[in-house]
Amino acid sequence: MANTWGYGAMTNSLGDIQNSKAIIIFGANPAVNHPVGFAHFLKAKERNNAKIIVVDPRFTKTAAKADLFAQIRPGTDIPFMYGMLHLIFKNGWHDKNFIKDRVYGMDEVMEEAKKWTPEKTADVTGVDAGLIIQIARAYAKSTPGTLIWAMGLTQHTIGSSNTRMAPIVQLALGNMGVEGGGCNILRGHDNVQGATDMCCLSHTLPGYYGLSDGSWKYFASSWGVDYEWLKGRFKGKEWMNKKGFTLARWWAGVLGGNKGEDAIHNNGTNLKALFVMGNGITSTSQTKKVKEALDNLDLAVFCDPFVNEGAIITDKKDDVYILPAATQFETSGSVTATNRSAQWRNEVVKPMYESKADQDIMFELAKRLGFYEQFTAGMKVKEKKKDFKWPEDATDEIARIIKTIGLTGWTAERLKKHSENWHMFDQVSLRGYGAMKGEYYGLPWPCWTESHAGSPLLYNINRSVKDGGMGFRNRFGLEHDGEDLLAGAGSAPKNSANKDGYPEINRDNIEKVLGIKLTADEKKRIGKNWKVDTSNIIAEKCMERGIAPYGNAKARAKVWTFPDPIPMHREPLHTPRHDLTKDYAAYPDKKNHYRVDTRYVSEQSKQDWSKDFPINLVTGRLVNLNGAGVENRASKYLAALTPEMFCDIHPNLAGQEGIRDGEMMWIHSPQGTKIKVKAKYSYSVSEDRIFLPFHFAGVMEGEDLSANYPEGTKPYAIGESANTVTNYGYDIITQIPETKGGLCRVERA
Ligand SMILES: Nc1nc2c(c(=O)[nH]1)N[C@H]1C(S)=C(S)[C@@H](COP(=O)(O)OP(=O)(O)OC[C@H]3O[C@@H](n4cnc5c(=O)[nH]c(N)nc54)[C@H](O)[C@@H]3O)O[C@H]1N2
Ligand SMILES: Nc1nc2c(c(=O)[nH]1)N[C@H]1C(S)=C(S)[C@@H](COP(=O)(O)OP(=O)(O)OC[C@H]3O[C@@H](n4cnc5c(=O)[nH]c(N)nc54)[C@H](O)[C@@H]3O)O[C@H]1N2
Ligand SMILES: [Mo]
């Protein structure tokens, strides 16, 4: 990823958006989904007359606050951004020095951008050429500009290319590492940033440590558990380093290989049990497959404060367990915000009735499964204790082990102090004052040492490393194809002992790069490299010399290990512009993609899907409901705002089909599934697309499942799941479902 951390956190912060002179928003609707954070956007408008530019297939509530709005065709953001870059490079609006010193591979981007004239961009994206020119000029000329994105960019087969393209625009304009600039990815759930950092995912270990022998051994020794024991938990050693199934396609693991389903690669076995903790399940794309998978499990367990509607949509009668989980008000500990800041939370009430906090459910489970000792060992290592204190010792364990994103400074003690003194910080710069002077609110990672200030603004070389400054990370070697990957001369963070680019720091190069001599004792204690140096000697020495432990390199606009080294446009698998699939074909099909074969071009080229399914299908969110929606639909007052599932449809499209406002309509998908929902006339969508909120469940293909709710648990509002008709399609890198593209057909019910 061009964003060298690239895991999709904010490079800056919500408060820092107040410093922006332009704000361009791709596929996010913060007025609805981040309404508190959106106040900072409006402040930027008040303070700097910042231009707000919204690129979205729908005229959203955010678009209503915009100076410029482009109603883009779903899945065409890459052409749109190339169209902007075309004009930026042609007019010399790019930051030449920034690109020369701090970016690798921009020349190839420039070549590709040449092709995307305003006319060609207009044809592919559906946005008027004049408007593209207006937007490119307005954004490029008003620096610093911040680029915002969320699910409108990620939920596509080319989602990962989208998330590389956006930083490329920022790199071209020199908008990275500056106040009011950056890529500010609006994250989703409460603490989803923390969940990502801890890698509640199937392809890495916590802290983004890769699946490799070295990482496993590092964790084994840091946890104080035997590596051989860990190894023994797997069917064979080779399975330790294989990616697992994803949430998006766990159901394929159950159904895999049968009845024409995509084949799986799971050592000859299908998945037999499902344990759900904090996911709605009906939020997964292709709900009918999800239902079929649930029906075919041996065991399904749902730990949830509410009745998880996964348990409602299945016909499975036995071995379905609903465990009452406590809410986040009934437990305490650290959570991570969208800008990488930590916050400490305190329990408001004890878990009510028979419910248990998630960690206690896991501890009980670990006991029954016989690995409680190993599971909790890491919390006792630091002070060689007999027992641990939750959650402080868990937080300290994380601080001790996770170096990759610099969590060393996140001790429980410091995090508590920040949350207790949250009023002692400036909301724009995050700088502390009074007792909190010298630290940034929540110690945004990387927080390299136990006295580090935190890093509110990634890649900023105008600050010293001690004060949160840094260049881009050196992660992929020193050179590629003969080209230097380290940052150019003079582009090191302020007050650095080494003014140039430099590699990531390890035991062997530390003396040379930092210009120091280690003592014999330090040489004995120092870890092999900055990522596994639990002595923290590397980070401490680096701070003294103004060096970022992870190096000072160029950001990569070109990622040679990816299927598309620079982002390329590829049409969605099911596109209304079948004529474009010749020039912009989907990826080749991918075998063993997180253990399941995944179709791309074969699905796209199977037929011209748009003949039978001419309407684009866009799904997303409402302000009163969240995610799968069960929490909010269980509230009488929130449910009353949207008592029924509905579809936003343009009156002209509805009129063609004889669908009246407020009457029922069917929506059919290319998979042969359908849903029956209420039509809601709306001009927020154009005539060629509809919008569905995905927060409903409890009705499937017209069948009311009310009888399946245990007595007294049926939410105030139930309805069809949008995901019953979301199309097949998964990102080539992350496997996120293509729920913001795809096709459908509508008819009167
Ligand atoms: N009220 C409320 N707030 C929430 C949530 C909630 O469910 N309810 N969920 C939280 C979570 S988990 C998340 S991840 C965030 C998500 O926050 P957002 O990403 O803002 O949420 P969405 O509404 O799913 O999608 C954003 C926009 O993307 C647009 N879009 C669709 N396809 C495309 C495309 O191809 N290109 C472009 N440029 N735009 C496109 C949609 O029209 C939509 O307006 O919200 C969080 N906040
Ligand atoms: N069509 C379509 N589908 C989508 C999306 C889209 O835009 N369109 N967006 C996708 C995205 S970005 C996301 S994040 C997902 C969101 O989908 P989900 O992750 O399913 O969203 P939530 O409804 O927030 O689910 C959380 C579940 O956890 C429970 N819960 C709440 N607090 C706790 C707790 O403390 N402990 C436990 N154990 N459980 C708890 C809730 O009751 C709920 O059942 O949906 C995805 N699906
Ligand atoms: Mo999300």
Side-chain angles (χ1 to χ4, degrees):
M1 302 215 145
N3 173 341
T4 51
W5 248 301
Y7 304 121
M10 281 187 165
T11 58
N12 297 31
S13 67
L14 283 164
D16 180 68
I17 291 171
Q18 290 193 35
N19 292 317
S20 304
K21 298 236 167 68
I23 302 169
I24 191 162
I25 307 173
F26 286 94
N29 185 12
V32 165
N33 302 319
H34 304 84
V36 179
F38 194 57
H40 295 286
F41 294 56
L42 299 177
K43 275 265 175 67
K45 208 166 166 167
E46 272 172 36
R47 283 175 49 158
N48 315 323
N49 197 19
K51 294 188 179 67
I52 298 184
I53 305 166
V54 170
V55 183
D56 199 296
R58 302 185 297 136
F59 186 77
T60 58
K61 290 195 164 72
T62 307
K65 293 284 181 196
D67 299 275
L68 293 165
F69 165 61
Q71 193 155 15
I72 193 172
R73 175 165 70 85
T76 63
D77 295 272
I78 290 173
F80 190 92
M81 289 190 239
Y82 270 126
M84 287 176 69
L85 286 174
H86 176 92
L87 296 159
I88 288 167
F89 293 135
K90 198 166 138 183
N91 291 295
W93 296 331
H94 53 300
D95 187 332
K96 287 144 208 113
N97 286 334
F98 189 96
I99 295 172
K100 178 170 71 59
D101 291 336
R102 299 190 63 191
V103 186
Y104 166 80
M106 192 62 95
D107 38 343
E108 284 184 38
V109 172
M110 285 180 177
E111 275 311 302
E112 178 63 21
K114 279 189 187 146
K115 300 178 198 158
W116 293 95
T117 60
E119 294 69 32
K120 179 170 156 162
T121 307
D123 173 46
V124 175
T125 62
V127 179
D128 179 69
L131 182 57
I132 295 166
I133 296 169
Q134 235 183 323
I135 288 176
R137 176 187 296 273
Y139 188 64
K141 294 287 221 176
S142 317
T143 50
T146 184
L147 194 155
I148 309 291
W149 83 72
M151 294 303 114
L153 280 203
T154 53
Q155 294 175 355
H156 296 280
T157 44
I158 44 119
S160 49
S161 290
N162 276 335
T163 64
R164 290 167 51 218
M165 193 69 210
I168 286 172
V169 172
Q170 291 297 71
L171 291 169
L173 292 169
N175 267 335
M176 290 298 255
V178 291
E179 286 162 20
C183 285
N184 288 308
I185 301 121
L186 302 173
R187 304 276 344 233
H189 282 94
D190 168 46
N191 197 34
V192 66
Q193 189 62 48
T196 313
D197 294 343
M198 289 307 108
C199 292
C200 300
L201 296 163
S202 72
H203 68 292
T204 58
L205 293 173
Y208 310 99
Y209 285 83
L211 285 176
S212 68
D213 294 352
S215 303
W216 281 113
K217 284 180 182 157
Y218 174 63
F219 276 98
S221 77
S222 306
W223 281 333
V225 302
D226 184 9
Y227 168 76
E228 292 300 321
W229 177 82
L230 274 179
K231 204 167 86 180
R233 310 297 302 170
F234 291 84
K235 185 137 196 169
K237 185 180 173 296
E238 69 279 14
W239 290 92
M240 276 182 109
N241 296 336
K242 287 193 168 124
K243 295 174 185 175
F245 288 100
T246 65
L247 172 62
R249 298 203 76 193
W250 67 269
W251 53 265
V254 183
L255 305 175
N258 302 319
K259 290 188 282 180
E261 300 291 346
D262 294 328
I264 59 169
H265 306 264
N266 195 44
N267 206 24
T269 33
N270 290 55
L271 295 183
K272 296 196 164 61
L274 178 74
F275 184 88
V276 184
M277 192 166 241
N279 179 269
I281 291 298
T282 50
S283 51
T284 318
S285 187
Q286 301 196 62
T287 318
K288 278 213 60 188
K289 295 286 182 197
V290 171
K291 176 204 175 309
E292 210 183 318
L294 288 166
D295 292 349
N296 283 287
L297 287 169
D298 290 351
L299 171 73
V301 186
F302 300 96
C303 316
D304 201 303
F306 294 83
V307 171
N308 191 301
E309 285 166 323
I312 303 306
I313 63 171
T314 179
D315 294 331
K316 186 173 167 57
K317 292 278 174 270
D318 298 323
D319 295 316
V320 180
Y321 295 90
I322 300 174
L323 303 185
T327 64
Q328 294 304 296
F329 302 106
E330 300 161 82
T331 183
S332 54
S334 76
V335 292
T336 308
T338 185
N339 70 308
R340 300 165 283 108
S341 273
Q343 295 176 43
W344 191 269
R345 277 210 197 131
N346 297 305
E347 183 186 85
V348 181
V349 287
K350 293 264 165 252
M352 291 170 79
Y353 308 109
E354 74 277 38
S355 72
K356 279 191 171 26
D358 289 314
Q359 68 274 6
D360 291 322
I361 296 175
M362 286 192 254
F363 291 148
E364 292 303 320
L365 196 64
K367 281 178 194 161
R368 308 298 196 282
L369 293 170
F371 58 80
Y372 179 73
E373 275 311 310
Q374 290 90 341
F375 190 50
T376 55
M379 291 188 276
K380 296 180 266 187
V381 167
K382 195 172 168 187
E383 289 158 28
K384 300 197 174 64
K385 295 198 262 192
K386 286 227 155 42
D387 209 353
F388 62 89
K389 184 169 175 238
W390 181 272
E392 287 80 358
D393 288 329
T395 307
D396 288 342
E397 173 191 322
I398 292 167
R400 186 168 55 80
I401 302 176
I402 305 300
K403 304 286 168 185
T404 38
I405 51 172
L407 298 189
T408 306
W410 281 19
T411 59
E413 193 190 344
R414 283 184 92 191
L415 299 188
K416 283 184 188 175
K417 194 171 160 203
H418 274 239
S419 295
E420 280 158 17
N421 292 290
W422 64 271
H423 55 291
M424 305 284 280
F425 293 88
D426 180 70
Q427 60 163 280
V428 175
S429 65
L430 307 188
R431 270 184 208 284
Y433 33 83
M436 302 313 289
K437 196 166 163 229
E439 301 195 359
Y440 295 101
Y441 182 61
L443 303 167
W445 60 251
C447 182
W448 301 111
T449 69
E450 289 194 16
S451 61
H452 189 261
S455 310
L457 221 161
L458 296 181
Y459 319 126
N460 184 356
I461 57 173
N462 300 317
R463 290 184 195 176
S464 66
V465 175
K466 250 188 187 157
D467 190 35
M470 73 197 86
F472 292 109
R473 180 170 167 186
N474 168 232
R475 211 177 146 199
F476 303 93
L478 304 180
E479 57 97 41
H480 186 73
D481 286 345
E483 209 181 308
D484 194 356
L485 289 179
L486 297 182
S491 52
K494 196 173 144 188
N495 300 333
S496 171
N498 187 331
K499 304 288 177 212
D500 304 331
Y502 49 82
E504 47 185 335
I505 309 302
N506 57 41
R507 187 166 56 199
D508 301 329
N509 69 14
I510 186 167
E511 293 188 322
K512 182 156 167 269
V513 180
L514 273 63
I516 55 163
K517 282 268 167 261
L518 295 178
T519 65
D521 174 58
E522 285 166 345
K523 276 187 182 154
K524 214 170 79 195
R525 290 191 296 124
I526 193 171
K528 197 167 138 221
N529 60 52
W530 69 281
K531 286 177 284 189
V532 297
D533 178 27
T534 38
S535 78
N536 223 38
I537 291 171
I538 293 182
E540 297 284 357
K541 296 282 172 195
C542 281
M543 293 312 112
E544 284 168 25
R545 305 290 290 164
I547 299 284
Y550 77 175
N552 180 23
K554 288 184 173 128
R556 297 191 306 168
K558 177 182 166 185
V559 180
W560 55 87
T561 47
F562 273 18
D564 287 329
I566 60 163
M568 298 296 274
H569 178 50
R570 292 174 180 279
E571 280 292 321
L573 298 193
H574 300 149
T575 166
R577 290 290 305 273
H578 189 71
D579 60 308
L580 293 177
T581 58
K582 204 163 82 5
D583 286 344
Y584 308 105
Y587 296 103
D589 291 5
K590 188 163 174 172
K591 262 207 168 317
N592 199 357
H593 185 24
Y594 297 92
R595 302 196 183 186
V596 56
D597 290 354
T598 306
R599 304 178 324 260
Y600 291 90
V601 74
S602 72
E603 177 71 16
Q604 187 185 55
S605 61
K606 206 162 167 186
Q607 66 190 73
D608 176 356
W609 296 98
S610 68
K611 286 217 170 87
D612 294 333
F613 304 95
I615 305 301
N616 245 153
L617 174 63
V618 179
T619 65
R621 294 169 161 77
L622 304 173
V623 73
N624 60 309
L625 300 179
N626 185 78
V630 70
E631 288 168 282
N632 325 97
R633 286 184 282 108
S635 151
K636 193 171 177 178
Y637 304 100
L638 291 174
L641 298 172
T642 49
E644 280 170 277
M645 171 62 182
F646 63 89
C647 164
D648 279 341
I649 184 167
H650 193 283
N652 289 349
L653 171 60
Q656 276 167 34
E657 302 294 329
I659 302 167
R660 291 205 194 160
D661 193 19
E663 285 190 350
M664 298 307 278
M665 59 185 278
W666 282 106
I667 302 166
H668 298 266
S669 84
Q671 290 82 229
T673 53
K674 58 180 197 278
I675 60 174
K676 190 176 167 188
V677 300
K678 192 166 250 186
K680 181 166 164 253
Y681 280 14
S682 172
Y683 291 99
S684 64
V685 281
S686 45
E687 293 170 29
D688 54 356
R689 66 195 63 148
I690 59 166
F691 171 77
L692 297 174
F694 77 98
H695 308 299
F696 288 84
V699 178
M700 192 176 270
E701 299 199 301
E703 189 195 343
D704 186 321
L705 305 174
S706 290
N708 293 358
Y709 290 91
E711 203 188 322
T713 68
K714 190 184 147 187
Y716 289 95
I718 61 167
E720 292 269 13
S721 288
N723 281 312
T724 303
V725 288
T726 46
N727 292 194
Y728 184 94
Y730 299 92
D731 179 69
I732 193 81
I733 303 289
T734 65
Q735 209 171 76
I736 196 170
E738 192 156 53
T739 45
K740 300 230 188 305
L743 295 173
C744 66
R745 183 177 81 240
V746 299
E747 70 180 358
R748 194 177 162 184

